[in-house]
mmCIF file of all heavy atoms in Angstrom:
data_model
loop_
_atom_site.group_PDB
_atom_site.id
_atom_site.type_symbol
_atom_site.label_atom_id
_atom_site.label_comp_id
_atom_site.label_asym_id
_atom_site.label_seq_id
_atom_site.Cartn_x
_atom_site.Cartn_y
_atom_site.Cartn_z
ATOM 1 N N TYR A 36 -11.013 -1.956 19.459
ATOM 2 C CA TYR A 36 -9.770 -1.303 19.105
ATOM 3 C C TYR A 36 -9.949 0.214 19.229
ATOM 4 O O TYR A 36 -11.044 0.732 19.012
ATOM 5 C CB TYR A 36 -9.361 -1.611 17.656
ATOM 6 C CG TYR A 36 -9.174 -3.074 17.369
ATOM 7 C CD1 TYR A 36 -10.258 -3.862 17.007
ATOM 8 C CD2 TYR A 36 -7.923 -3.681 17.448
ATOM 9 C CE1 TYR A 36 -10.105 -5.211 16.751
ATOM 10 C CE2 TYR A 36 -7.762 -5.024 17.183
ATOM 11 C CZ TYR A 36 -8.860 -5.783 16.839
ATOM 12 O OH TYR A 36 -8.708 -7.123 16.588
ATOM 13 N N GLN A 38 -8.328 3.794 17.651
ATOM 14 C CA GLN A 38 -7.478 4.335 16.594
ATOM 15 C C GLN A 38 -7.437 5.858 16.697
ATOM 16 O O GLN A 38 -8.474 6.516 16.599
ATOM 17 C CB GLN A 38 -7.954 3.930 15.197
ATOM 18 C CG GLN A 38 -6.987 4.365 14.104
ATOM 19 C CD GLN A 38 -7.404 3.949 12.713
ATOM 20 O OE1 GLN A 38 -8.593 3.879 12.404
ATOM 21 N NE2 GLN A 38 -6.427 3.667 11.852
ATOM 22 N N ASP A 50 -12.036 -11.088 23.374
ATOM 23 C CA ASP A 50 -12.992 -12.007 23.993
ATOM 24 C C ASP A 50 -14.014 -11.255 24.842
ATOM 25 O O ASP A 50 -14.354 -11.693 25.952
ATOM 26 C CB ASP A 50 -12.271 -13.053 24.845
ATOM 27 C CG ASP A 50 -11.481 -14.028 23.994
ATOM 28 O OD1 ASP A 50 -11.850 -14.224 22.822
ATOM 29 O OD2 ASP A 50 -10.504 -14.584 24.505
ATOM 30 N N ARG A 91 -14.359 -12.212 15.204
ATOM 31 C CA ARG A 91 -13.719 -13.324 14.508
ATOM 32 C C ARG A 91 -14.387 -14.624 14.932
ATOM 33 O O ARG A 91 -13.765 -15.647 14.980
ATOM 34 C CB ARG A 91 -12.233 -13.393 14.825
ATOM 35 C CG ARG A 91 -11.417 -12.343 14.149
ATOM 36 C CD ARG A 91 -9.936 -12.657 14.253
ATOM 37 N NE ARG A 91 -9.584 -13.788 13.400
ATOM 38 C CZ ARG A 91 -9.073 -14.937 13.849
ATOM 39 N NH1 ARG A 91 -8.868 -15.110 15.137
ATOM 40 N NH2 ARG A 91 -8.772 -15.903 13.017
ATOM 41 N N ARG A 95 -14.295 -15.418 8.841
ATOM 42 C CA ARG A 95 -14.278 -14.155 8.101
ATOM 43 C C ARG A 95 -14.561 -13.014 9.065
ATOM 44 O O ARG A 95 -15.662 -12.875 9.572
ATOM 45 C CB ARG A 95 -15.313 -14.188 6.987
ATOM 46 C CG ARG A 95 -15.116 -15.348 6.051
ATOM 47 C CD ARG A 95 -16.021 -15.272 4.866
ATOM 48 N NE ARG A 95 -15.238 -15.105 3.647
ATOM 49 C CZ ARG A 95 -15.703 -14.581 2.528
ATOM 50 N NH1 ARG A 95 -16.945 -14.150 2.474
ATOM 51 N NH2 ARG A 95 -14.943 -14.491 1.475
ATOM 52 N N GLN B 39 -7.834 0.281 5.107
ATOM 53 C CA GLN B 39 -8.641 1.423 5.521
ATOM 54 C C GLN B 39 -8.574 2.480 4.427
ATOM 55 O O GLN B 39 -7.520 3.102 4.217
ATOM 56 C CB GLN B 39 -8.131 1.985 6.847
ATOM 57 C CG GLN B 39 -8.994 3.078 7.430
ATOM 58 C CD GLN B 39 -8.588 3.411 8.862
ATOM 59 O OE1 GLN B 39 -7.405 3.406 9.208
ATOM 60 N NE2 GLN B 39 -9.558 3.710 9.708
ATOM 61 N N TYR B 60 -10.489 -14.811 1.968
ATOM 62 C CA TYR B 60 -10.485 -13.460 1.426
ATOM 63 C C TYR B 60 -11.855 -12.827 1.579
ATOM 64 O O TYR B 60 -12.887 -13.498 1.549
ATOM 65 C CB TYR B 60 -10.133 -13.485 -0.071
ATOM 66 C CG TYR B 60 -8.805 -14.103 -0.393
ATOM 67 C CD1 TYR B 60 -8.702 -15.450 -0.716
ATOM 68 C CD2 TYR B 60 -7.643 -13.338 -0.366
ATOM 69 C CE1 TYR B 60 -7.476 -16.028 -1.002
ATOM 70 C CE2 TYR B 60 -6.404 -13.908 -0.658
ATOM 71 C CZ TYR B 60 -6.338 -15.248 -0.972
ATOM 72 O OH TYR B 60 -5.119 -15.813 -1.259
ATOM 73 N N ASP B 62 -14.977 -10.863 0.069
ATOM 74 C CA ASP B 62 -15.603 -10.980 -1.254
ATOM 75 C C ASP B 62 -15.086 -9.902 -2.203
ATOM 76 O O ASP B 62 -14.956 -10.139 -3.408
ATOM 77 C CB ASP B 62 -17.120 -10.859 -1.132
ATOM 78 C CG ASP B 62 -17.749 -12.073 -0.474
ATOM 79 O OD1 ASP B 62 -17.074 -13.118 -0.406
ATOM 80 O OD2 ASP B 62 -18.907 -11.971 -0.033
ATOM 81 N N LYS B 101 -6.407 -14.777 18.787
ATOM 82 C CA LYS B 101 -7.859 -14.649 18.930
ATOM 83 C C LYS B 101 -8.341 -13.431 18.140
ATOM 84 O O LYS B 101 -9.184 -13.535 17.275
ATOM 85 C CB LYS B 101 -8.288 -14.557 20.390
ATOM 86 C CG LYS B 101 -8.009 -15.815 21.181
ATOM 87 C CD LYS B 101 -8.654 -15.763 22.534
ATOM 88 C CE LYS B 101 -8.447 -17.074 23.275
ATOM 89 N NZ LYS B 101 -9.097 -17.067 24.601
ATOM 90 N N PHE B 103 -6.803 -9.339 16.598
ATOM 91 C CA PHE B 103 -5.616 -8.789 15.949
ATOM 92 C C PHE B 103 -4.816 -8.003 16.980
ATOM 93 O O PHE B 103 -5.074 -6.830 17.221
ATOM 94 C CB PHE B 103 -6.023 -7.912 14.768
ATOM 95 C CG PHE B 103 -6.812 -8.645 13.713
ATOM 96 C CD1 PHE B 103 -7.491 -7.942 12.735
ATOM 97 C CD2 PHE B 103 -6.869 -10.037 13.676
ATOM 98 C CE1 PHE B 103 -8.210 -8.600 11.742
ATOM 99 C CE2 PHE B 103 -7.588 -10.708 12.697
ATOM 100 C CZ PHE B 103 -8.258 -9.977 11.729
#
Side-chain angles (χ1 to χ4, degrees):
Chain A
Y36 301 86
Q38 186 178 33
D50 291 334
R91 286 193 72 241
R95 304 187 115 203
Chain B
Q39 186 169 37
Y60 302 93
D62 289 343
K101 295 190 176 181
F103 300 166

